[in-house]
């Protein structure tokens, strides 16, 4: 099969949108990523996959820690900014969580330290232990078939406790 067919098939899996941030030598670095998942509850582990050509790969390998910012539906421009899709960089407001820069008003902010690094094809999988979390109640920014999406009001499902 060709690469385009594979990418199109993988794009049929709807995901949230994250920005991975780290600090190295006093400078904040970030990249948009949707290859993010929870791995374990005990210990609390999450995983992000970063391509070998990404500038962020070396920065995370050096810092050994980073934060995951799960974006809300009103933060599409931040995703585009960190994906290099804008002609002009936008001003990003950061806060600190667990000693790491996190995006202000993100749906969830998760600070982590890398516990394992696994080479997988043309990507590196960073398994990390969650050190601290901050969440807000907003709707998520979604990505499906190569495009950004938002939850429709009638798609929101209420659950009973």
């Amino acid at each position: 099969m060709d690469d385009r067919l594979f990418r199109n098939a993988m794009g049929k899996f709807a995901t949230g949108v994250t920005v991975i941030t780290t600090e190295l030598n006093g400078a904040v670095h970030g990249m948009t990523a949707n290859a993010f998942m929870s791995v374990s509850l005990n210990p609390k582990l999450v995983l992000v996959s970063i391509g070998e050509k990404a500038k962020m790969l070396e920065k995370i390998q050096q810092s050994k820690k980073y934060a995951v910012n799960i974006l809300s539906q009103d933060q599409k421009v931040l995703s585009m900014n960190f994906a290099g899709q804008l002609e002009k960089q936008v001003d990003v407001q950061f806060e600190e969580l667990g000693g790491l820069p996190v995006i202000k008003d993100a749906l969830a902010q998760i600070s982590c330290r890398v516990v394992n690094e696994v080479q997988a094809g043309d990507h590196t999988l960073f398994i990390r232990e969650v050190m601290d979390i901050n969440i807000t109640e907003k709707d998520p920014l979604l990505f499906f078939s190569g495009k950004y999406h938002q939850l429709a009001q009638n798609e929101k499902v209420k659950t009973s406790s």
Side-chain angles (χ1 to χ4, degrees), residues 49-89:
S49 175
I50 299 181
E52 65 185 13
K53 295 179 182 175
K55 296 174 188 173
M56 191 69 160
L57 180 64
E58 184 178 323
K59 291 169 178 37
I60 291 174
Q61 287 172 326
Q62 290 178 20
S63 71
K64 299 292 184 205
K65 57 186 179 179
Y66 55 101
V68 178
N69 302 272
I70 300 174
L71 300 185
S72 62
Q73 69 181 13
D74 60 343
Q75 294 179 313
K76 175 182 170 184
V77 71
L78 293 178
S79 172
M80 295 174 71
N81 181 68
F82 286 105
Q85 297 172 335
L86 300 177
E87 288 183 29
K88 185 178 177 186
Q89 293 269 321

